[in-house]
Amino acid sequence: MIATCGSARRSIARAFADPDAGPVLLYVEGAAGLGKTHLLSELAGLPEAPDVARLWWRCGAGDGQQVADEPWGKPALLLVDDVHRADEDELRRLRRVLEGLEPGSAAAVAYRPEELPVPGLPLGGSAMAYPFRLTVLTHRLAPWDEERVRRAASDVLGESGGTAEAVGTLHERTGGVPRAVVDLLALLREQRPAFTGTAAEVAAAGVPTRLAELVLSRTYALSPAHRPLVWAAAVLDGPAARDELIAVSGLGAVPGSDALLRALESAALAEPGEGRYGFAVPLAAAAVRDTVPGPVRQDLHRRAAGVLSRRQPVAWTSVGEHHRAAGDDRRWLRAVEKAAESAAASGRHQEAIALLERTLAAPGIPPQARARLAPLLARNAVTGLRSDQTVEVLAQIVQDADLPPAVRGELRLDLGLMLSNQMGRFADGWRVLEIAAAELREVRSVLAARAMAALVTPYWPGASLDVHRGWLIKAVAAADDSGDEAMRTAVLANQVGLAMSWADPEAWDLVERLPVQSTDPACVRQAARGLCNAADSAVWLGFYRRVDGLLAEGRELATRSGAPYTEHSASGTRLLQEWWTGQWLGLARRCEEFIADTADMPFLASDAYVVRGLLAVAQGDWGEARSWLSQRGTFGTENLPVPLGATAAGAVIRLTLARQEVADAAEQARAAWTVVAEKGVWPWAAELAPWAVEALARAGDTTGAQAMVRDFAQGLGAADAPAARAALVWSRAVLAENEALAQGKPSGLLAAAESYRKAAAAYAELPRPYSQALTTECAGRCVLAADAVGEAGGAGGVDRAGGSGGSGGAGEADGADGADGADGADSTQAAGGETDGAGASEGAADGAGAHGSGASAAGGSAAPAGDRAPTASAIAELESCAQHFTDLGAVWDATRARALLRTRQPAKKGRPPGRPSHSDQLSPREAEVAQLASSGLTNREIAATLHLSPRTVEQHIAGAMRKTGALSRRDLVHRL
């Protein structure tokens, strides 16, 4: 009977549970290092048998730790270790003891099966005469699985030890043998600098002493004639067939077979898979390999290269490593080339990149080999995802004067593409591509067309739309001259991106021309890129309903043709689409996961950084928002693609306005606007314009704000760009609101409200629910402000500190994570501001907020009885958008909208005068303030959001901390 893992303890315990139970004999079988002695120690500590004597017998120890042959006279647990070391005399005595086991007793006998004199018979060559009532079980120890290795690594090395990369390599190199795992972890724990969790560190840790001594003792116990077979296994470094081992060893068929038998008998080698032979612990191969004499080792490697070349499919990377170890550099470099080509053909671009980078970084590579391998590296790096070294390697190689001009031009082309597309270094990439186009024009026209096509791409800052159109003309001509269909498709893909960017009426016809049904993988890759370009442009234009189809087809083609860079860029487009269409549930997590997945290529994750920042703005986590919007320092934001940079700039301007830093906001607006204006792709101003206009208008630069709106309108012309057209209406509303507030004209405010409603309707059509809610809030605020201006009798009743809809409603960036406000629960009167505990009127507080100062200036006074319909409608609009903000998860926006509502809502009927008591619980206002404070907003920023004075905010925070027991503002988040 074979005892399963976990049953060993139960089987032994059962022998002591019943005085009449028969004795139990448990064999514990396990190769070296699997934990036999550890299991015996666990059995010795069984709590079920506290009164049972524990008797240890260590075979071959010669230390007298044995037991008497005669009966013991009381229940006992005999623990016998290392039976494989017992001589014949000791085995005879042990057999007599085991045959005499009496009821109430048990024995556990541990041994290494690979070292038994007679395989399968732990107690010697003759069968045991087991007593009738004796239960005999066998418990076979097994290696650890990856999960058990992970737990051990985490226990020893902490968080760094539990990485998937480290655990996988640990499990592979140790074979899961517990002793080897523990010893290797001890080496990693002591290494300096401290272990960081990479596979390379595990591989470089070396062979634990205990393992090295065991495998070397077994190897050199063999005769010199048989050792080459073990050396061959060490050089192959993995399970191999018998014939392969014999061929690498250099022994003939008969001597080789005999050597394999002797190696298995001595446990120098094992059979980890049927018909496959190697080391029980793969890591042991290195210990043996290091002892093989140099000339012999080179011969072994040479023969190993030949053997591996005959396997199918050929593992060219391993073949190359053996050629190099054998000293044959020419064959090594040829094998590297074949390995890289094979990896690229199957879409394993990262594998090809890593191999080529390592090879090209080696000293002494002949110029001819560099000329072959460097273009291969460049092509893989452009198609796949770069590693950190690729750009540096290529930048050095293009300086090689011995390179043929065509090779240098091709390398420069790929280097320029990497600098621009994958690292965000647009200015450097542009210069390199211009040089490449000139170098290749006469020697490689098809590659010259590719360089020109890259210069057609309009996303990079700097060159104007007209410059890109000029390069398009050249690229089309060069592609047609080349006669290369894949190059024609590459140019068409970039033409699609250019035409879509400025809403060319022919853009959608160009998309239809992409050869999505082509059977040429090169054409399919370019068609996939064209579809993803179109999807990205459709997002910026506002054609959200078309994006899904374009992305789905583009990603499918990219996957099928092996274009991971295109796949990843499509993922960024998807995040933007989800942001604008209000699919915010889990969006922050998806952004962070994408950023982590592209950690070695942060520019590729720039969409995710910006979306994560926009979410943080709406959540009120302004400190985090600035960090995300600035790409967390991974590269300069001035290198962001123009539409993404404009979007990030709009969000930063919004934050700056909300902090009442109006002059800084205006400077930011002018700088960002200049970038868009120089590019000349006016649909890309959509996410910047409302905030930029607001910043200039509030800074008193009405002329500049008017010029922005005029330029935006003229630049758009009749272009079919729904998002930009909605933003233009929004920008005009912002300008109208600010001018009306400055002049104290209620009619102007009502007109601005109508413009905001038109913008909201346009956003609803797209759909863009957050932008719709923001502009709806602005409309409601303008109506309330008009009422306030009318009550005050003109401009004198309007507080300009708060600003208008641009930074109040328009000043909001799109965000996430809702909060429920009090909805007037603590309002005390129909007119007049809410009074704080100190008696100050919040409605008239200084710094009355980046949202609708008109309403706060009104002091909450109601409209005349005969003209209350617009005000009631505005309140309904604000209630609706506050709920929409909450549904989306926009904490900051929901709180701001409810704060504005409280200035206009009448007191609840039937409520006694004065404030409700909140002696032990947070008041609704305290809860709002505490939530914003825990998100990281300063008192001044909270005051601006809620139309309070900073002093009132300070009192509310103090009250919230006292009632919740919070130790700090940040601690409030855990107490609410």
Side-chain angles (χ1 to χ4, degrees), residues 293-312:
V296 176
R297 188 171 60 248
Q298 283 192 314
D299 288 341
L300 290 165
H301 278 295
R302 177 178 53 77
R303 290 193 290 267
V307 165
L308 294 183
S309 297
R310 293 191 288 274
R311 286 182 180 177
Q312 292 299 326

Side-chain angles (χ1 to χ4, degrees), residues 48-76:
E48 296 87 346
D51 299 326
V52 174
R54 273 67 167 172
L55 305 174
W56 282 90
W57 184 334
R58 289 185 171 84
C59 297
D63 56 4
Q65 291 198 44
Q66 299 177 6
V67 297
D69 297 352
E70 59 272 3
W72 305 319
K74 62 178 180 179

Side-chain angles (χ1 to χ4, degrees), residues 159-462:
E159 185 177 344
S160 64
T163 65
E165 180 181 355
V167 170
T169 307
L170 276 166
H171 185 263
E172 177 189 356
R173 300 302 292 154
T174 63
V177 173
R179 183 75 265 169
V181 173
V182 172
D183 288 351
L184 185 54
L185 289 174
L187 290 177
L188 294 171
R189 181 186 58 210
E190 299 303 320
Q191 78 170 27
R192 293 294 180 273
F195 182 69
T196 61
T198 66
E201 289 172 295
V202 177
V207 183
T209 300
R210 199 180 335 240
L211 174 61
E213 289 182 354
L214 176 65
V215 70
L216 290 175
S217 66
R218 290 173 171 178
T219 298
Y220 287 91
L222 294 169
S223 70
H226 297 148
R227 288 175 200 161
L229 197 290
V230 181
W231 294 346
V235 165
L236 285 170
D237 201 15
R242 180 187 62 176
D243 292 344
E244 291 178 333
L245 281 173
I246 294 173
V248 174
S249 71
L251 303 174
V254 174
S257 296
D258 184 53
L260 178 57
L261 289 174
R262 300 289 83 78
L264 293 171
E265 289 173 359
S266 70
L269 295 181
E271 188 178 6
E274 186 173 358
R276 311 288 290 180
Y277 305 97
F279 294 93
V281 179
L283 185 59
V288 174
R289 194 165 52 245
D290 289 343
T291 67
V292 180
V296 176
R297 188 171 60 248
Q298 283 192 314
D299 288 341
L300 290 165
H301 278 295
R302 177 178 53 77
R303 290 193 290 267
V307 165
L308 294 183
S309 297
R310 293 191 288 274
R311 286 182 180 177
Q312 292 299 326
V314 179
W316 286 112
T317 300
S318 296
V319 171
E321 290 170 354
H322 287 297
H323 279 310
R324 189 182 190 190
D328 191 338
D329 286 352
R330 184 180 64 82
R331 285 192 171 90
W332 162 49
L333 294 171
R334 285 293 184 186
V336 166
E337 187 174 3
K338 291 180 179 179
E341 289 172 344
S342 175
S346 59
R348 294 176 285 118
H349 298 285
Q350 277 300 97
E351 181 181 323
I353 291 169
L355 172 63
L356 290 166
E357 283 179 347
R358 289 196 307 270
T359 304
L360 287 167
I365 303 297
Q368 301 90 333
R370 291 169 69 86
R372 292 198 317 271
L373 297 178
L376 192 54
L377 169 62
R379 286 194 294 272
N380 275 281
V382 170
T383 304
L385 304 176
R386 72 167 180 87
S387 74
D388 292 338
Q389 291 181 296
T390 305
V391 167
E392 287 76 8
V393 170
L394 293 180
Q396 292 175 3
I397 292 175
V398 295
Q399 305 302 321
D400 188 345
D402 294 330
L403 283 177
V407 173
R408 183 184 299 105
E410 180 180 359
L411 292 179
R412 206 183 300 276
L413 163 62
D414 289 330
L415 175 60
L417 291 173
M418 290 186 65
L419 287 168
S420 301
N421 295 340
Q422 294 167 232
M423 297 191 69
R425 291 166 54 182
F426 295 124
D428 293 340
W430 183 276
R431 285 192 295 271
V432 171
L433 286 169
E434 284 187 316
I435 296 171
E439 282 181 331
L440 293 166
R441 185 176 293 116
E442 300 300 328
V443 292
R444 297 283 295 278
S445 61
V446 66
L447 293 182
R450 189 178 178 205
M452 296 171 188
L455 295 169
V456 172
T457 304
Y459 290 95
W460 310 337

Side-chain angles (χ1 to χ4, degrees), residues 283-661:
L283 185 59
V288 174
R289 194 165 52 245
D290 289 343
T291 67
V292 180
V296 176
R297 188 171 60 248
Q298 283 192 314
D299 288 341
L300 290 165
H301 278 295
R302 177 178 53 77
R303 290 193 290 267
V307 165
L308 294 183
S309 297
R310 293 191 288 274
R311 286 182 180 177
Q312 292 299 326
V314 179
W316 286 112
T317 300
S318 296
V319 171
E321 290 170 354
H322 287 297
H323 279 310
R324 189 182 190 190
D328 191 338
D329 286 352
R330 184 180 64 82
R331 285 192 171 90
W332 162 49
L333 294 171
R334 285 293 184 186
V336 166
E337 187 174 3
K338 291 180 179 179
E341 289 172 344
S342 175
S346 59
R348 294 176 285 118
H349 298 285
Q350 277 300 97
E351 181 181 323
I353 291 169
L355 172 63
L356 290 166
E357 283 179 347
R358 289 196 307 270
T359 304
L360 287 167
I365 303 297
Q368 301 90 333
R370 291 169 69 86
R372 292 198 317 271
L373 297 178
L376 192 54
L377 169 62
R379 286 194 294 272
N380 275 281
V382 170
T383 304
L385 304 176
R386 72 167 180 87
S387 74
D388 292 338
Q389 291 181 296
T390 305
V391 167
E392 287 76 8
V393 170
L394 293 180
Q396 292 175 3
I397 292 175
V398 295
Q399 305 302 321
D400 188 345
D402 294 330
L403 283 177
V407 173
R408 183 184 299 105
E410 180 180 359
L411 292 179
R412 206 183 300 276
L413 163 62
D414 289 330
L415 175 60
L417 291 173
M418 290 186 65
L419 287 168
S420 301
N421 295 340
Q422 294 167 232
M423 297 191 69
R425 291 166 54 182
F426 295 124
D428 293 340
W430 183 276
R431 285 192 295 271
V432 171
L433 286 169
E434 284 187 316
I435 296 171
E439 282 181 331
L440 293 166
R441 185 176 293 116
E442 300 300 328
V443 292
R444 297 283 295 278
S445 61
V446 66
L447 293 182
R450 189 178 178 205
M452 296 171 188
L455 295 169
V456 172
T457 304
Y459 290 95
W460 310 337
S464 69
L465 180 61
D466 287 339
V467 171
H468 295 299
R469 287 169 171 159
W471 279 111
L472 175 62
I473 294 171
K474 296 177 183 178
V476 170
D480 288 342
D481 290 344
S482 73
D484 187 293
E485 193 58 35
M487 187 49 59
R488 288 195 184 100
T489 307
V491 172
L492 177 59
N494 285 13
Q495 185 178 4
V496 165
L498 179 65
M500 289 281 292
S501 69
W502 61 275
D504 184 343
E506 298 180 1
W508 294 106
D509 293 335
L510 292 173
V511 174
E512 294 299 320
R513 286 173 49 193
L514 291 167
V516 296
Q517 302 298 327
S518 174
T519 57
D520 180 357
C523 286
V524 172
R525 276 195 293 273
Q526 298 301 334
R529 192 169 59 82
L531 289 170
C532 291
N533 284 348
D536 192 67
S537 294
V539 164
W540 293 112
L541 291 174
F543 292 111
Y544 304 118
R545 292 183 177 90
R546 294 194 180 191
V547 171
D548 289 341
L550 292 168
L551 278 183
E553 188 175 9
R555 295 184 75 163
E556 191 275 327
L557 292 179
T559 301
R560 176 152 53 90
S561 60
Y565 178 84
T566 300
E567 288 185 74
H568 279 69
S569 64
S571 297
T573 300
R574 169 65 65 194
L575 295 174
L576 288 167
Q577 162 89 342
E578 291 174 348
W579 158 255
W580 274 308
T581 56
Q583 301 173 61
W584 291 6
L585 184 62
L587 182 55
R589 173 183 52 78
R590 292 193 292 278
C591 288
E592 292 175 20
E593 288 174 350
F594 184 62
I595 289 168
D597 290 344
T598 55
D600 64 341
M601 194 174 174
F603 177 70
L604 191 57
S606 55
D607 292 335
Y609 278 104
V610 171
V611 171
R612 185 64 185 85
L614 295 173
L615 287 167
V617 170
Q619 291 167 340
D621 195 353
W622 291 359
E624 281 293 293
R626 284 188 178 272
S627 176
W628 287 114
L629 291 169
S630 63
Q631 309 288 298
R632 296 212 155 182
T634 54
F635 62 91
T637 54
E638 70 278 1
N639 286 327
L640 281 173
V642 174
L644 200 61
T647 301
V652 171
I653 292 166
R654 179 187 185 196
L655 287 177
T656 308
L657 286 171
R659 287 173 164 146
Q660 305 299 318
E661 298 166 359

Side-chain angles (χ1 to χ4, degrees), residues 740-746 785 788-800 853-854 857-858:
L741 284 170
Q743 298 167 9
K745 292 183 177 180
V789 170
E791 289 281 316
V798 178
D799 176 8
R800 289 291 298 154
S853 62

